[in-house]
Amino acid sequence: MGLKMTEPLRELLVAVLMLGLTLGCFLLWRKLQRATAWAWLNPLLMSIASVILFLLLTGISYESYWLGGQVLGALVEPVVVALGYPLYKQRRLFFRHWRALLASSFIAVFLSLTSLTLLARLAGIDNTVLLSLVTLNVTTAVAMETSAAMGGLASLAAICVMIAGFTGVGLGQWALKRSGVSDERAVGIAIGAGSHALGAATLTARSMQSAAWASASLILCALLTALFAPHWVPFLLSL
Amino acid sequence: MFKKLRAFIYAAFGIALSLACGHLLASVLGLLPASLWGMLIFSAYLALPVVPSKKLGSAIDVAMVYMPLVFLPICVGLVQYGDIVSRLGWKILLIGASSTLLLIVVLGMISQRLLIRDVLPDGAEDD
């Protein structure tokens, strides 16, 4: 007598398998990155590529994958809240240098949003993609939320965030050196505002001072982007 | 082990409470998404003298290492937009990289020449 699988049981099995695939993939790539210490082997980026490849090869739909993925997806909001800890850790820096940090973050956010909107418009990119692109200089969690709130695609926004991160990791410090920027605080502000947590993490190898400024800068830029992007970007698009 | 578990529970409680308050503020005031309000509230929560922020911090530091995992399922949603990636992928890459590089250089120069020197004169205390 064959075992008949009910629909809820089948869904549960698919959910567990997809969750296992996601966890396994991420942990494997993380282990590989730690073993090689190669920044480009980013666990998130490599896991996205691996899971997408797996889904395409097996013909499993995203809806089926999401049965398991939603367990992790439900944790996005709490994870954003947990970013309050790095904000708390940098409180002394914020209180002591709030003018410099606020002014540079304002400049960064408006420069980023304006240049990205104008360049995307010039390149003839449609609004949905443009709204996913404009938040690429802030940390993933905030970029996804802000972009989706404006009508962009959260998944594409996360990929765009990686582009900014890897640009900063690969070329940021070299470009700053070529431009004559040597002040550790300025380097931190610039890398944090342009390449968020990925850039800030690489600065720890350079100096803790620049890494601390990068952390403070990226948090402030994330907040200002979430605050101004939903107003500034539609305004630019209406011109 | 028990201490670590307790720190996780304290952190989870603080995050849940902050998120709930964040939802309340977002519905009343708007301005920011609920999670960002929650982030600000959580930061204030950690500053409370009754909260063992150091112990909570060690638990959150561990959780932060696995933070990108949470975004993975949503990012995989890109599989639904294969046409966008094949049509506009190179444009997105070019615009993203060039704009980021421009931002880093311009902001680095401004921060060094105008902000840091003006606001933080030589000898100013560093962190």
Side-chain angles (χ1 to χ4, degrees), chain B residues 64-89:
Chain B
M64 288 295 217
V65 173
Y66 296 97
M67 185 172 117
L69 177 64
V70 167
F71 306 119
L72 183 50
I74 297 170
C75 295
V76 171
L78 197 68
V79 74
Q80 297 168 298
Y81 309 108
D83 60 319
I84 292 177
V85 176
S86 58
R87 194 164 42 90
L88 298 169

Short mmCIF file of all heavy atoms in Angstrom, two decimals, chain B residues 64-89:
data_model
loop_
_atom_site.label_atom_id
_atom_site.label_comp_id
_atom_site.label_asym_id
_atom_site.label_seq_id
_atom_site.Cartn_x
_atom_site.Cartn_y
_atom_site.Cartn_z
N MET B 64 24.53 39.10 14.62
CA MET B 64 24.87 39.97 13.48
C MET B 64 25.69 39.22 12.42
O MET B 64 25.59 39.53 11.24
CB MET B 64 25.67 41.19 13.95
CG MET B 64 24.84 42.19 14.70
SD MET B 64 23.61 42.95 13.67
CE MET B 64 23.62 44.57 14.29
N VAL B 65 26.49 38.27 12.88
CA VAL B 65 27.32 37.50 11.95
C VAL B 65 26.43 36.75 10.94
O VAL B 65 26.78 36.61 9.77
CB VAL B 65 28.21 36.50 12.74
CG1 VAL B 65 28.96 35.57 11.81
CG2 VAL B 65 29.19 37.27 13.62
N TYR B 66 25.27 36.31 11.44
CA TYR B 66 24.37 35.54 10.57
C TYR B 66 23.25 36.41 9.97
O TYR B 66 22.33 35.88 9.37
CB TYR B 66 23.78 34.36 11.35
CG TYR B 66 24.86 33.39 11.77
CD1 TYR B 66 25.43 33.44 13.04
CD2 TYR B 66 25.38 32.47 10.87
CE1 TYR B 66 26.45 32.59 13.41
CE2 TYR B 66 26.40 31.62 11.23
CZ TYR B 66 26.94 31.68 12.50
OH TYR B 66 27.96 30.83 12.83
N MET B 67 23.35 37.71 10.17
CA MET B 67 22.32 38.63 9.69
C MET B 67 22.01 38.49 8.19
O MET B 67 20.84 38.45 7.81
CB MET B 67 22.74 40.06 10.03
CG MET B 67 21.72 41.09 9.69
SD MET B 67 22.25 42.69 10.35
CE MET B 67 22.42 43.62 8.88
N PRO B 68 23.03 38.37 7.33
CA PRO B 68 22.73 38.28 5.89
C PRO B 68 21.85 37.09 5.51
O PRO B 68 21.14 37.14 4.53
CB PRO B 68 24.11 38.15 5.23
CG PRO B 68 25.06 38.69 6.23
CD PRO B 68 24.48 38.37 7.57
N LEU B 69 21.89 36.04 6.34
CA LEU B 69 21.09 34.84 6.07
C LEU B 69 19.60 35.18 5.98
O LEU B 69 18.87 34.60 5.18
CB LEU B 69 21.35 33.83 7.20
CG LEU B 69 20.59 32.53 7.18
CD1 LEU B 69 20.94 31.70 5.96
CD2 LEU B 69 20.90 31.72 8.43
N VAL B 70 19.17 36.12 6.80
CA VAL B 70 17.77 36.51 6.85
C VAL B 70 17.30 37.12 5.51
O VAL B 70 16.15 36.98 5.12
CB VAL B 70 17.58 37.50 8.03
CG1 VAL B 70 16.27 38.20 7.98
CG2 VAL B 70 17.74 36.78 9.35
N PHE B 71 18.24 37.77 4.82
CA PHE B 71 17.88 38.43 3.56
C PHE B 71 17.91 37.48 2.37
O PHE B 71 17.43 37.80 1.29
CB PHE B 71 18.83 39.61 3.27
CG PHE B 71 18.91 40.59 4.39
CD1 PHE B 71 20.10 40.84 5.03
CD2 PHE B 71 17.77 41.23 4.83
CE1 PHE B 71 20.17 41.73 6.08
CE2 PHE B 71 17.83 42.12 5.87
CZ PHE B 71 19.03 42.37 6.50
N LEU B 72 18.52 36.34 2.57
CA LEU B 72 18.73 35.40 1.46
C LEU B 72 17.44 35.00 0.72
O LEU B 72 17.38 35.13 -0.51
CB LEU B 72 19.52 34.18 1.98
CG LEU B 72 19.93 33.10 0.99
CD1 LEU B 72 20.59 33.66 -0.24
CD2 LEU B 72 20.87 32.11 1.67
N PRO B 73 16.38 34.54 1.44
CA PRO B 73 15.18 34.13 0.70
C PRO B 73 14.56 35.25 -0.13
O PRO B 73 14.08 35.00 -1.24
CB PRO B 73 14.22 33.68 1.81
CG PRO B 73 15.10 33.32 2.94
CD PRO B 73 16.24 34.27 2.89
N ILE B 74 14.59 36.48 0.39
CA ILE B 74 14.01 37.60 -0.36
C ILE B 74 14.87 37.89 -1.59
O ILE B 74 14.36 38.14 -2.68
CB ILE B 74 13.87 38.86 0.53
CG1 ILE B 74 12.89 38.57 1.68
CG2 ILE B 74 13.37 40.05 -0.28
CD1 ILE B 74 12.84 39.61 2.76
N CYS B 75 16.19 37.83 -1.41
CA CYS B 75 17.10 38.08 -2.54
C CYS B 75 16.95 37.04 -3.63
O CYS B 75 17.09 37.36 -4.82
CB CYS B 75 18.55 38.11 -2.05
SG CYS B 75 18.89 39.44 -0.94
N VAL B 76 16.66 35.81 -3.23
CA VAL B 76 16.46 34.75 -4.22
C VAL B 76 15.26 35.09 -5.13
O VAL B 76 15.16 34.60 -6.25
CB VAL B 76 16.32 33.38 -3.52
CG1 VAL B 76 15.89 32.28 -4.47
CG2 VAL B 76 17.65 32.98 -2.87
N GLY B 77 14.38 35.95 -4.62
CA GLY B 77 13.23 36.41 -5.42
C GLY B 77 13.65 37.02 -6.74
O GLY B 77 12.84 37.18 -7.66
N LEU B 78 14.93 37.34 -6.86
CA LEU B 78 15.48 37.88 -8.12
C LEU B 78 15.27 36.90 -9.27
O LEU B 78 15.22 37.31 -10.43
CB LEU B 78 16.97 38.15 -7.92
CG LEU B 78 17.65 39.07 -8.93
CD1 LEU B 78 17.13 40.48 -8.78
CD2 LEU B 78 19.15 39.05 -8.73
N VAL B 79 15.11 35.62 -8.92
CA VAL B 79 14.90 34.59 -9.94
C VAL B 79 13.65 34.91 -10.78
O VAL B 79 13.55 34.51 -11.94
CB VAL B 79 14.82 33.18 -9.28
CG1 VAL B 79 13.51 32.96 -8.56
CG2 VAL B 79 15.06 32.09 -10.30
N GLN B 80 12.73 35.65 -10.20
CA GLN B 80 11.50 36.00 -10.91
C GLN B 80 11.72 37.14 -11.91
O GLN B 80 10.85 37.43 -12.72
CB GLN B 80 10.43 36.44 -9.90
CG GLN B 80 10.02 35.38 -8.93
CD GLN B 80 9.18 35.96 -7.81
OE1 GLN B 80 9.63 36.81 -7.04
NE2 GLN B 80 7.96 35.51 -7.70
N TYR B 81 12.86 37.81 -11.80
CA TYR B 81 13.11 38.98 -12.66
C TYR B 81 14.31 38.77 -13.57
O TYR B 81 15.11 39.69 -13.78
CB TYR B 81 13.31 40.23 -11.78
CG TYR B 81 12.21 40.42 -10.78
CD1 TYR B 81 12.43 40.20 -9.42
CD2 TYR B 81 10.93 40.79 -11.19
CE1 TYR B 81 11.41 40.34 -8.49
CE2 TYR B 81 9.90 40.93 -10.26
CZ TYR B 81 10.16 40.71 -8.92
OH TYR B 81 9.14 40.86 -8.01
N GLY B 82 14.42 37.58 -14.07
CA GLY B 82 15.54 37.24 -14.96
C GLY B 82 15.60 38.15 -16.18
O GLY B 82 16.69 38.52 -16.63
N ASP B 83 14.43 38.55 -16.69
CA ASP B 83 14.40 39.43 -17.88
C ASP B 83 15.02 40.79 -17.58
O ASP B 83 15.76 41.34 -18.39
CB ASP B 83 12.97 39.59 -18.39
CG ASP B 83 12.05 40.20 -17.34
OD1 ASP B 83 12.16 39.82 -16.16
OD2 ASP B 83 11.23 41.07 -17.70
N ILE B 84 14.75 41.31 -16.38
CA ILE B 84 15.32 42.62 -15.98
C ILE B 84 16.84 42.51 -15.89
O ILE B 84 17.56 43.37 -16.39
CB ILE B 84 14.73 43.09 -14.62
CG1 ILE B 84 13.26 43.42 -14.78
CG2 ILE B 84 15.50 44.30 -14.09
CD1 ILE B 84 12.57 43.82 -13.49
N VAL B 85 17.31 41.44 -15.27
CA VAL B 85 18.75 41.26 -15.08
C VAL B 85 19.45 41.13 -16.44
O VAL B 85 20.48 41.77 -16.69
CB VAL B 85 19.05 40.03 -14.19
CG1 VAL B 85 20.54 39.79 -14.08
CG2 VAL B 85 18.45 40.23 -12.81
N SER B 86 18.88 40.34 -17.35
CA SER B 86 19.54 40.16 -18.65
C SER B 86 19.44 41.43 -19.50
O SER B 86 20.32 41.73 -20.29
CB SER B 86 18.95 38.96 -19.38
OG SER B 86 17.57 39.14 -19.55
N ARG B 87 18.37 42.20 -19.34
CA ARG B 87 18.16 43.41 -20.14
C ARG B 87 18.94 44.60 -19.59
O ARG B 87 19.52 45.38 -20.34
CB ARG B 87 16.65 43.72 -20.14
CG ARG B 87 16.17 44.71 -21.17
CD ARG B 87 14.64 44.64 -21.33
NE ARG B 87 13.92 44.50 -20.08
CZ ARG B 87 13.48 45.53 -19.35
NH1 ARG B 87 13.70 46.75 -19.74
NH2 ARG B 87 12.81 45.32 -18.23
N LEU B 88 18.92 44.74 -18.26
CA LEU B 88 19.50 45.96 -17.67
C LEU B 88 20.69 45.72 -16.73
O LEU B 88 21.21 46.66 -16.15
CB LEU B 88 18.41 46.71 -16.88
CG LEU B 88 17.21 47.21 -17.69
CD1 LEU B 88 16.11 47.67 -16.75
CD2 LEU B 88 17.61 48.35 -18.61
N GLY B 89 21.08 44.45 -16.61
CA GLY B 89 22.13 44.10 -15.64
C GLY B 89 23.40 44.92 -15.79
O GLY B 89 23.90 45.47 -14.80
#
